[in-house]
Amino acid sequence: MNVYRFHRDEFLTLREEIKASRSRLFWIVTMGLFGVPVLSYLAYDAARLVWLLVPYSVLLLIVMFVLEQSNMMRAGRYIRERVEQGVFKVEGWEAWLESSMRTRLIEKQFVACFVVIFFVYYVITIAMAVQRLLDHAEADPSGQYWYWLSGAAVTYAIGAVWALATLVHHWRDTVSTRDEAVA
């Protein structure tokens, strides 16, 4: 296989990877926007403590969203740095996208919008779980639900801090293909 063909095939593979990431992002957003309210509704009336897991599900969606967005941008960065500039010595699509703050603005707003929505869902599902635990704790003379409440509150707080730290750490990677970008 000659070098030109290799780089062309590599470029095409990366474009397919970007398309696959876009598809996965669509499903993650769909699951988040519609699945979380349905899951919250169904879990709230569950007889067991299943509803305690709903906030963790939302946390997982946040991480999946950031991961897929970052994967897509990483593929774009590789195309810009290695394929466009390194092999073909041209300013291609990815370089053009990074040439102006305006061309990536909608992506930044898209990511920020869904991260905010997912965090709102996270807070709402935590509030629902804590309220349910408080109701049980006040009605239970044994006091076991106070332990559940304490444990849930601590793990939900740790999850929120961890998710925010992950988002801050990876923000640039989710909205730009430039390492030195100020997002």
Side-chain angles (χ1 to χ4, degrees):
M1 172 181 272
N2 69 27
V3 173
Y4 173 79
R5 237 188 188 154
F6 171 79
H7 289 297
R8 185 198 65 200
D9 291 348
E10 182 178 49
F11 171 79
L12 294 173
T13 301
L14 288 167
R15 295 307 297 171
E16 288 300 314
E17 170 119 3
I18 289 170
K19 286 182 356 186
S21 282
R22 284 236 182 250
S23 176
R24 287 187 297 267
L25 277 170
F26 171 79
W27 287 110
I28 292 167
V29 167
T30 301
M31 284 188 309
L33 291 179
F34 302 108
V36 170
V38 170
L39 181 63
S40 298
Y41 176 77
L42 295 174
Y44 192 76
D45 289 330
R48 304 213 180 244
L49 298 176
V50 160
W51 37 269
L52 289 174
L53 299 176
V54 175
Y56 300 120
S57 301
V58 177
L59 201 57
L60 182 62
L61 282 173
I62 293 170
V63 173
M64 288 171 48
F65 180 80
V66 170
L67 173 69
E68 282 303 323
Q69 186 68 25
S70 179
N71 286 345
M72 186 174 55
M73 289 297 175
R74 185 175 48 234
R77 180 179 303 119
Y78 186 88
I79 289 171
R80 184 178 53 78
E81 291 177 359
R82 299 285 175 97
V83 178
E84 291 175 355
Q85 294 172 1
V87 176
F88 298 113
K89 311 276 192 259
V90 297
E91 183 175 302
W93 174 252
E94 294 294 335
W96 177 80
L97 283 173
E98 292 297 339
S99 68
S100 168
M101 297 265 304
R102 290 177 41 103
T103 56
R104 287 277 189 211
L105 184 61
I106 191 67
E107 288 168 329
K108 290 176 184 177
Q109 291 172 345
F110 174 82
V111 171
C113 174
F114 285 106
V115 166
V116 166
I117 289 170
F118 288 159
F119 270 106
V120 166
Y121 278 0
Y122 185 59
V123 170
I124 289 170
T125 57
I126 287 172
M128 290 171 63
V130 167
Q131 180 60 48
R132 185 98 187 256
L133 278 171
L134 273 172
D135 292 345
H136 285 305
E138 290 171 352
D140 181 28
S142 72
Q144 88 173 18
Y145 282 100
W146 290 109
Y147 294 113
W148 280 99
L149 180 60
S150 300
V154 168
T155 60
Y156 293 154
I158 290 170
V161 168
W162 174 76
L164 283 171
T166 300
L167 180 62
V168 167
H169 182 73
H170 294 286
W171 176 255
R172 259 190 248 176
D173 296 333
T174 63
V175 296
S176 177
T177 64
R178 288 190 291 171
D179 288 333
E180 68 278 0
V182 178

